[in-house]
Amino acid sequence: MLKKWLLIGLLCCPLVAVAAEAEKEKITLNFVNADIESVVKAVGMISGKNFILDPRVKGTINIISSSPVSRELTYQILLSALRLQGFAAIEGQGVIKIVPEADAKQNYSPTSERKLAASGDKIVTQVYPLRYESASQLVPVLRPLISPNNTIAAYANTNTLVITDYADNVRRINKIIDAIDQPNNGEMVTVRLEHASATDLAQALNRLMSDSAAAAPGVAPGSAELTRRIVAIADSRTNSVLLRSDNPSLIMRARSIIAGLDIATSVAGNIHVVYLKNAEAVKLAQTLRAVMSGESAAATGGTAGQPTPLGQQVQPAGSPAASGFIQADVATNSLIITAPDNVYNTLRAAIDKLDARRAQVYVEALIAEVSTDKAAEFGIQWQFLNGVNSNSVSAIGGTNLTARGAGGNIIDAAANLSSLGQGLNIGITKGMINLPGVGQVVNLGVLARALATDANTNILSTPNLLTLDNEEAKIIIGQNVPFVTGSYAQTGTTATATPFQTIERKDVGLMLKIKPQISEGGSVKLQIYQEVSSVDNTTNTGGAGLVTNKRSIESTVLVDDGRIIVLGGLIQDTVRDGQDKVPLLGDIPLLGGLFRYDKRQRVKTNLMVFLRPYVLKDAESSASLTDSRYGYIRDQQDVSRLSQHAILPDMPVPQLPSLIPAPQTKGDSKIQTVAP
């Protein structure tokens, strides 16, 4: 018996030793203003984990435990303390990195879908596919619940949320997502109207229900949640109103309102006023009148193809034909329609489609002209006039080449040396000589002349135009030049004449006239007239009047949005060769140059016209284009500022105002002005 108790005692001793060892595993943590590096080192020794600290991890930690904790719990306590200091732990293969919290999302972290197993203050990544709600709409709702240094993003293609944050917080967010991501029990109802206009009734319902919802407690006026409570959409084709809401009571209220408004009126024609947003009332009224008078009868038994009023199509046999009246009010840009309900509903559906915002077209025309003008002249002229003043028989003679008055004739040079043109002029003179009938001139015996000219021109013009679709626009940059069309001088019985002239003024310069038409495919059809004209002053001689140079293009082209297309151009290369010489003598090799005057000229002109349209379909694209051009002009003004001068005073430079409206205080006028 004694041996049996000894054996039992020996078997129980190891159990007591294990229990005592387990009691020793409890650790009491007390760190007051301890350096983070020292605390991490101590926890590493206790938990047996390896740590790597980022050089930016600095500071102190306070950890106080009132009772001993297990070795495994010391690591979780360290993570919580680091999180309070703005640091996070990234677990890797056998090592844990301590980095700033802002950099934790860029490192590896455990990733899972929907069900998350991790807990505590570990950095994890959750990929959460949604079933019913929109991921993009949930991001603003969940963003305040995520740590500022961590992220939440939506991938719209698969309707998935990607969240990187601490494990405990991600588990909380998962519960929130599960509660939100539920099937939408919103009811959708179609209400067919008999008398009222679906368009007018839908607009009235949206305003009415939004105003009533704003009066509810806890809903701010103008909140976006108001439009989500109930939505009314008009279907013009079937004259029906589509209602959608998550609250069945709102659906019932809307149906009762519709039933009260969709009633027949006692008069045959009602007066309706439709305010237009984009279309022009006068033009739209003309179009609608044509529609009302041009509809062909189908169900009235009339002859096929005979025009009848629009209302007759829906009138029963034997009833009087309904009529309608449309008048435009220019002051308010509205339409006044007097017509039965069925006719008005049809017209109202057409008005909604025609009263849409019209697209605009911005057109850049590029006119590039490069021309080169090269000319050369060389010639020798001589004359012998010594025998003019002699009484004995003597001979005179010489060569007279080039036209008189051209600046290179030897006779003009003898009469007036200042009449010689530009270039090299070399002559031999011998005093003065008196010519009968002419007077005293220079005795110029030989005149050698040489000239070479080289002129290059590079012109780039870019006239720009912005106009509505199917509306013609024109820009003129030039001068208004007077042209004499007639003159008359009447003397009568008076001693002096009383002349007068009739003058017509015409635009001379650069003109661009376009009419765009936008197609549904994005291309633009353009009717274009482009003209470049100038006054040729050198040909303004006699009574013929002014002569103008003109280059014009008139065409209709099709071009894609934002693409450049060539309209036309001129590529011209002209070579002229002229020679004045004495017969026979001018043909002698070498010596013939003494009796010859040579001229050569080459004019090369390259003129091309290009076009680039931009389609502006909304206000944002128009504002973006205006801002870019406005900024370009402001930059050019800054470049052209006058530099400071040591003596001259500073002069203010005109400057465009800023496009940003000046800040206004409460009570100021609603008119916005641009701030300089």
Side-chain angles (χ1 to χ4, degrees):
M1 192 63 162
L2 181 60
K3 293 181 179 180
K4 181 178 179 180
W5 285 109
L6 290 175
L7 180 60
I8 293 174
L10 292 175
L11 293 174
C12 291
C13 286
L15 297 177
V16 175
V18 171
E21 185 67 22
E23 184 66 24
K24 294 181 180 179
E25 290 293 331
K26 298 286 186 177
I27 304 297
T28 301
L29 300 178
N30 288 299
F31 296 100
V32 179
N33 293 330
D35 183 69
I36 291 179
E37 184 176 355
S38 301
V39 175
V40 171
K41 184 177 181 180
V43 172
M45 296 178 63
I46 295 172
S47 62
K49 298 181 181 296
N50 301 320
F51 293 92
I52 297 178
L53 272 68
D54 189 281
R56 294 169 291 178
V57 177
K58 302 291 184 182
T60 58
I61 291 179
N62 294 314
I63 301 176
I64 300 174
S65 59
S66 58
S67 60
V69 297
S70 63
R71 289 180 177 269
E72 290 76 11
L73 192 58
T74 57
Y75 174 62
Q76 298 297 331
I77 295 174
L78 174 64
L79 295 184
S80 300
L82 291 174
R83 178 179 177 180
L84 295 177
Q85 298 297 323
F87 304 115
I90 306 299
E91 297 184 2
Q93 294 293 334
V95 68
I96 301 172
K97 294 186 294 184
I98 308 298
V99 298
E101 188 181 59
D103 296 343
K105 57 181 175 291
Q106 301 174 359
N107 291 270
Y108 168 79
S109 59
T111 304
S112 63
E113 295 185 6
R114 300 185 73 89
K115 294 183 179 180
L116 184 66
S119 61
D121 290 321
K122 298 179 181 179
I123 294 292
V124 296
T125 299
Q126 175 86 18
V127 180
Y128 203 107
L130 301 179
R131 295 188 178 94
Y132 307 105
E133 293 296 329
S134 170
S136 301
Q137 294 181 359
L138 276 184
V139 168
V141 177
L142 300 177
R143 176 68 263 185
L145 306 178
I146 305 295
S147 302
N149 290 325
N150 294 325
T151 62
I152 178 172
Y155 184 60
N157 289 347
T158 58
N159 197 34
T160 302
L161 289 174
V162 180
I163 305 171
T164 299
D165 202 2
Y166 295 99
D168 284 346
N169 195 34
V170 172
R171 295 170 71 92
R172 176 176 69 110
I173 292 174
N174 286 349
K175 295 180 180 179
I176 297 175
I177 296 176
D178 291 337
I180 296 176
D181 190 29
Q182 298 294 329
N184 189 356
N185 297 322
E187 185 179 0
M188 184 176 294
V189 177
T190 302
V191 182
R192 184 73 177 269
L193 303 180
E194 296 291 338
H195 307 284
S197 169
T199 303
D200 294 341
L201 200 52
Q203 294 176 357
L205 277 175
N206 286 325
R207 290 195 299 267
L208 178 63
M209 303 304 288
S210 296
D211 293 341
S212 61
V219 179
S223 174
E225 295 297 328
L226 297 180
T227 58
R228 297 176 185 171
R229 293 198 168 193
I230 185 168
V231 178
I233 302 175
D235 181 31
S236 302
R237 187 180 65 85
T238 60
N239 196 36
S240 304
V241 176
L242 305 178
L243 301 175
R244 182 182 182 276
S245 177
D246 296 336
N247 191 343
S249 63
L250 291 180
I251 296 289
M252 296 301 297
R253 289 175 57 189
R255 290 179 70 102
S256 63
I257 294 174
I258 294 175
L261 296 176
D262 186 28
I263 59 175
T265 57
S266 59
V267 294
N270 302 320
I271 298 178
H272 305 272
V273 179
V274 181
Y275 294 96
L276 303 180
K277 299 178 181 179
N278 301 287
E280 187 176 346
V282 175
K283 294 183 178 180
L284 188 55
Q286 295 174 356
T287 303
L288 294 177
R289 291 193 201 105
V291 172
M292 292 183 64
S293 62
E295 281 290 326
S296 58
T300 58
T303 304
Q306 294 295 327
T308 59
L310 180 62
Q312 290 187 7
Q313 295 186 31
V314 294
Q315 296 296 321
S319 65
S323 61
F325 177 78
I326 302 175
Q327 181 63 37
D329 182 53
V330 180
T332 59
N333 194 38
S334 59
L335 296 175
I336 303 173
I337 303 176
T338 303
D341 291 338
N342 55 346
V343 178
Y344 171 72
N345 294 339
T346 305
L347 293 176
R348 193 67 174 87
I351 292 173
D352 288 340
K353 292 180 173 60
L354 296 175
D355 189 29
R357 179 187 177 91
R358 296 174 62 184
Q360 301 182 94
V361 179
Y362 178 78
V363 180
E364 288 182 340
L366 294 88
I367 305 173
E369 181 176 359
V370 180
S371 61
T372 302
D373 189 353
K374 296 183 179 181
E377 299 180 20
F378 181 77
I380 298 176
Q381 306 172 64
W382 59 271
Q383 62 182 359
F384 179 73
L385 302 176
N386 289 336
V388 172
N389 296 326
S390 175
N391 294 327
S392 59
V393 178
S394 58
I396 62 173
T399 58
N400 176 18
L401 305 178
T402 73
R404 295 288 302 274
N409 189 275
I410 192 171
I411 297 178
D412 293 338
N416 184 7
L417 291 178
S418 63
S419 65
L420 289 172
Q422 60 183 1
L424 176 64
N425 298 279
I426 301 176
I428 300 177
T429 63
K430 184 180 179 182
M432 305 293 292
I433 190 169
N434 191 6
L435 291 178
V438 178
Q440 194 174 27
V441 299
V442 177
N443 188 6
L444 182 60
V446 178
L447 175 63
R449 174 173 168 76
L451 173 65
T453 61
D454 190 354
N456 298 318
T457 305
N458 188 350
I459 301 175
L460 177 64
S461 301
T462 56
N464 301 331
L465 271 178
L466 177 64
T467 183
L468 284 173
D469 183 23
N470 273 324
E471 295 291 340
E472 184 179 289
K474 180 171 66 173
I475 183 174
I476 298 176
I477 305 172
Q479 296 177 321
N480 192 254
V481 180
F483 291 85
V484 178
T485 58
S487 61
Y488 183 72
Q490 180 181 5
T491 57
T493 58
T494 59
T496 59
T498 56
F500 71 89
Q501 291 180 331
T502 58
I503 296 176
E504 179 184 3
R505 290 186 172 272
K506 294 184 178 180
D507 295 325
V508 176
L510 190 148
M511 177 170 49
L512 173 64
K513 183 167 60 176
I514 61 170
K515 184 178 181 180
Q517 181 179 0
I518 305 172
S519 66
E520 290 297 329
S523 59
V524 184
K525 179 183 177 182
L526 294 170
Q527 297 179 12
I528 309 160
Y529 179 76
Q530 175 94 43
E531 178 182 310
V532 179
S533 57
S534 61
V535 177
D536 191 353
N537 293 323
T538 60
T539 59
N540 185 13
T541 59
L546 297 176
V547 176
T548 58
N549 300 321
K550 179 179 177 181
R551 301 186 183 99
S552 64
I553 297 174
E554 186 171 2
S555 178
T556 301
V557 298
L558 188 67
V559 58
D560 292 333
D561 180 19
R563 302 300 298 270
I564 297 179
I565 189 172
V566 61
L567 293 182
L570 170 67
I571 300 177
Q572 182 178 1
D573 196 350
T574 305
V575 178
R576 295 185 180 92
D577 188 6
Q579 188 180 79
D580 296 337
K581 64 180 178 179
V582 177
L584 299 179
L585 296 179
D587 296 329
I588 301 174
L590 298 179
L591 294 178
L594 300 175
F595 305 94
R596 188 171 61 239
Y597 196 95
D598 297 321
K599 294 181 180 179
R600 290 184 179 179
Q601 183 181 15
R602 180 180 181 181
V603 180
K604 187 174 183 179
T605 303
N606 296 322
L607 172 65
M608 300 298 291
V609 179
F610 301 90
L611 201 70
R612 176 164 55 188
Y614 294 98
V615 178
L616 310 177
K617 293 186 178 181
D618 50 27
E620 289 75 12
S621 56
S622 300
S624 176
L625 178 64
T626 301
D627 293 347
S628 63
R629 298 300 186 268
Y630 201 86
Y632 171 77
I633 293 299
R634 284 176 60 93
D635 293 340
Q636 293 300 312
Q637 286 187 329
D638 293 337
V639 172
S640 62
R641 287 182 180 273
L642 300 177
S643 59
Q644 294 184 351
H645 196 277
I647 301 176
L648 299 178
D650 293 337
M651 297 296 180
V653 179
Q655 184 70 24
L656 288 173
S658 174
L659 285 177
I660 303 176
Q664 299 179 358
T665 59
K666 186 176 181 180
D668 289 348
S669 173
K670 293 183 179 180
I671 300 178
Q672 293 186 350
T673 57
V674 290

